[in-house]
Amino acid sequence: MKDTTPPPVLAAPGILEVEHHGVEPIPDHERTATPFDLFRLIFGGANTFVTVILGSVPILLGLSFVDALWVTVAGVLLGSLIVAPMALFGPVSGSNNAVSSSGHFGAHGRIIGSCLALLVAVAFYSISVWTSGDVIIGAAHEFFDVPSSPWALGAVYSVLAVLMLVVCIYGFRFMLWVNKVAIIGATAMFLAGIFAFWDKFDFGYSGAFGINGVASVDPAFWAAAIGAGLVVMSNPVSFATFLGDWTRYIPKETSRSKLMVSVILANLATLLPFIFGLATTSIIASSAQPFFEAGDYVGGLLNVSPIWYCIPISILAIIGGMSTGTGLLYGTGLDFASIVPRLSRIQSTILIGVSSLAFIFFGKFVLNVVQSISTFAILIVTCTAPWMVIMIIGFVKRKGWYDQDALQVFNRRLKGGIYWFNDGWNWRAVAVWAVSAVAGLLFVNVPGQFVGWLSPIVAGIDISIPVAAGLACLLYLTVLKTFPEPYEVFGPMNGPSSSQKPMSSTESNATPTSDTLLQQKASQ
């Protein structure tokens, strides 16, 4: 008699159960995350002082509060619309976005996405730790006379970094719980700022260009407005390489529109820390303090804050730094483990965490690159924009179809597969990305830090990201039309060629059977 007993229902791991999954596809029974969880991870990761610092930029560049507000809203909205489709890869591939990029850049070309993710993570992780640590020590010094010294800063940096590392070692579900707490806590602290600064805030703050500067014909105004808008836009765009780290835990059948709406709403919610940065920076500027001229937002904020707000500021620095840092460190550790398969996700996370802490100390106390790291982040985001455009166009062209096994060829140290292209590189995507990224860098304009060679021809207006993204879109569509990709990559309707089944690195002259591939995977 046939056994009709239903299979046991496997429970998903608990919050404090250490995650052991790497970039291999997440089992269906563990895909219990929802679009709302994605919202919390994005909003929690950006509801921090790092976003506040970015929010201070429009005022620092001389815009009035009203103009800065319009620029900020436009930058956040545009950036969220651009990055939203990057949430679609994880549920389909069951892996992170760097692995998914194998489908367009090739089994080896996916290294581009991994390198971009690593550089973005190191930059924003460092900014997060530095900012949070400086705020905590600054508040303690300003209001409780705690000595501000390199030793004190180093101690706070270390504690924050270790806490972030512990969360990342536990993995996705513990990180999700931390972000749930961070959203509530950080939002409450920002809202408390309304009472702290209400009597000092001037909605009519005019800035360097005067009220209603949007009507100005001064080229410097437009350079400041567009430059500020791109800095704001870089915040949502910076999530492009990391969204797959979280959406791989969302069921494949989840509505794509719900995923994209979650990304858009989460980024729109970050207007809270952005506007906090705008308002408080205008207060600092109105007070004619040297902090504003020096671009020292943290020092200026502490100087204008009432004494009772020191505790909320410190809490905000801790929980905000935790939510930002854990998301970045988790994704980088996960991806690095796929590049170096001999390392587990946990080992890779520890290695990246320790290395990042070393960079934080060296960069702060030896090289003094705290100001330069923001410029570096802008350069990396400029290079990420064309990579993101290529991925989105590719997703549309493939109608969201990917072969999960073929995406894992690089991680499993195999050869071949439908994404092998030319020795593991899809020259179409790689060439378009390289040309577009270089073109974008030529138009970067960060005065005193990095000015691209072609920036002067557009009156110093930073159009780096629009150039990089727009050129990538134009070139990639042209290349795909002129040099069509192999029909196998478009899905089972065309049927993959048997000659392109994955081959092991030691058997490159023979096509292994399915059984052979299973044995190879098991042995690894």
Side-chain angles (χ1 to χ4, degrees):
M1 180 180 294
K2 185 178 180 180
D3 184 8
T4 58
T5 304
V9 177
L10 301 176
I15 292 176
L16 294 179
E17 183 176 343
V18 176
E19 177 190 4
H20 293 284
H21 289 304
V23 293
E24 291 285 334
I26 300 298
D28 289 342
H29 74 276
E30 293 190 30
R31 294 196 185 193
T32 57
T34 66
F36 185 57
D37 290 328
L38 177 61
F39 172 91
R40 288 186 291 199
L41 284 165
I42 297 174
F43 180 36
N47 196 27
T48 67
F49 260 110
V50 175
T51 306
V52 171
I53 296 294
L54 294 177
S56 71
V57 171
I59 300 296
L60 290 173
L61 292 180
L63 300 183
S64 69
F65 179 81
V66 173
D67 290 332
L69 182 60
W70 282 113
V71 165
T72 299
V73 172
V76 170
L77 180 59
L78 182 58
S80 63
L81 291 173
I82 293 173
V83 79
M86 296 304 294
L88 303 179
F89 293 91
V92 174
S93 68
S95 190
N96 67 347
N97 282 355
V99 169
S100 299
S101 72
S102 298
H104 305 291
F105 289 84
H108 290 156
R110 56 141 294 184
I111 290 294
I112 295 173
S114 296
C115 290
L116 290 173
L118 174 63
L119 294 174
V120 169
V122 170
F124 282 91
Y125 178 75
S126 300
I127 294 172
S128 176
V129 174
W130 283 330
T131 303
S132 297
D134 291 350
V135 169
I136 293 170
I137 291 297
H141 175 71
E142 185 77 19
F143 302 109
F144 302 110
D145 293 326
V146 174
S148 178
S149 67
W151 290 104
L153 281 173
V156 173
Y157 293 161
S158 298
V159 171
L160 287 172
V162 169
L163 288 175
M164 295 176 192
L165 182 58
V166 169
V167 173
C168 291
I169 289 175
Y170 275 102
F172 173 78
R173 300 189 185 282
F174 192 27
M175 183 177 69
L176 179 59
W177 179 83
V178 168
N179 274 270
K180 291 178 182 179
V181 175
I183 286 180
I184 298 173
T187 300
M189 298 305 103
F190 279 127
L191 293 178
I194 296 177
F195 300 98
F197 300 108
W198 183 259
D199 60 334
K200 301 178 182 179
F201 172 64
D202 178 13
F203 188 82
Y205 171 76
S206 60
F209 299 99
I211 300 176
N212 296 324
V214 73
S216 172
V217 295
D218 185 353
F221 167 80
W222 291 107
I226 294 175
L230 292 178
V231 169
V232 171
M233 191 171 70
S234 71
N235 195 55
V237 171
S238 67
F239 283 99
T241 56
F242 300 102
L243 290 181
D245 303 337
W246 311 326
T247 59
R248 66 197 182 111
Y249 275 97
I250 295 177
K252 185 176 182 179
E253 301 76 21
T254 303
S255 167
R256 292 175 180 176
S257 60
K258 288 183 179 180
L259 286 170
M260 291 193 289
V261 168
S262 294
V263 175
I264 294 171
L265 292 179
N267 280 291
L268 290 178
T270 64
L271 285 172
L272 175 62
F274 268 117
I275 294 176
F276 181 90
L278 290 177
T280 51
T281 306
S282 66
I283 293 172
I284 296 168
S286 299
S287 302
Q289 297 182 21
F291 297 105
F292 180 77
E293 296 297 329
D296 180 9
Y297 171 78
V298 173
L301 176 65
L302 294 172
N303 193 265
V304 299
S305 296
I307 190 168
W308 66 265
Y309 196 60
C310 64
I311 294 178
I313 283 180
S314 299
I315 295 174
L316 182 59
I318 294 172
I319 61 179
M322 285 288 293
S323 57
T324 298
T326 52
L328 297 170
L329 182 58
Y330 170 81
T332 307
L334 174 68
D335 199 50
F336 192 75
S338 71
I339 298 175
V340 186
R342 70 183 64 181
L343 296 178
S344 67
R345 183 196 67 83
I346 297 173
Q347 292 171 329
S348 176
T349 300
I350 293 174
L351 176 61
I352 294 296
V354 172
S355 300
S356 298
L357 181 59
F359 174 78
I360 287 169
F361 276 92
F362 198 70
K364 174 73 174 184
F365 301 116
V366 179
L367 298 180
N368 193 25
V369 297
V370 175
Q371 297 298 326
S372 302
I373 199 69
S374 299
T375 301
F376 177 72
I378 293 174
L379 299 180
I380 296 304
V381 170
T382 300
C383 293
T384 301
W387 177 86
M388 179 176 59
V389 168
I390 291 169
M391 289 279 287
I392 294 172
I393 292 176
F395 187 93
V396 174
K397 289 286 187 180
R398 308 279 179 82
K399 297 181 179 179
W401 183 87
Y402 295 91
D403 184 321
Q404 288 190 354
D405 279 337
L407 291 175
Q408 298 287 336
V409 163
F410 179 87
N411 315 324
R412 296 168 179 169
R413 292 301 182 259
L414 305 175
K415 288 185 177 181
I418 63 174
Y419 304 131
W420 190 247
F421 298 105
N422 298 95
D423 197 27
W425 299 85
N426 185 355
W427 64 268
R428 303 165 186 80
V430 173
V432 168
W433 170 79
V435 171
S436 303
V438 171
L441 293 175
L442 292 176
F443 285 94
V444 171
N445 190 323
V446 183
Q449 295 286 332
F450 186 97
V451 178
W453 291 347
L454 298 182
S455 180
I457 69 175
V458 288
I461 298 176
D462 191 328
I463 58 173
S464 55
I465 294 180
V467 166
L471 185 60
C473 181
L474 178 64
L475 290 180
Y476 193 49
L477 289 173
T478 301
V479 168
L480 290 180
K481 184 177 180 63
T482 308
F483 304 97
E485 294 180 318
Y487 70 91
E488 293 91 347
V489 303
F490 292 94
M493 291 181 62
N494 295 318
S497 170
S498 60
S499 63
Q500 290 188 308
K501 295 288 181 66
M503 296 189 299
S504 71
S505 57
T506 58
E507 298 178 49
S508 57
N509 294 322
T511 303
T513 65
S514 298
D515 290 340
T516 304
L517 283 174
L518 289 174
Q519 291 172 4
Q520 290 174 353
K521 296 174 189 176
S523 65
Q524 295 176 354

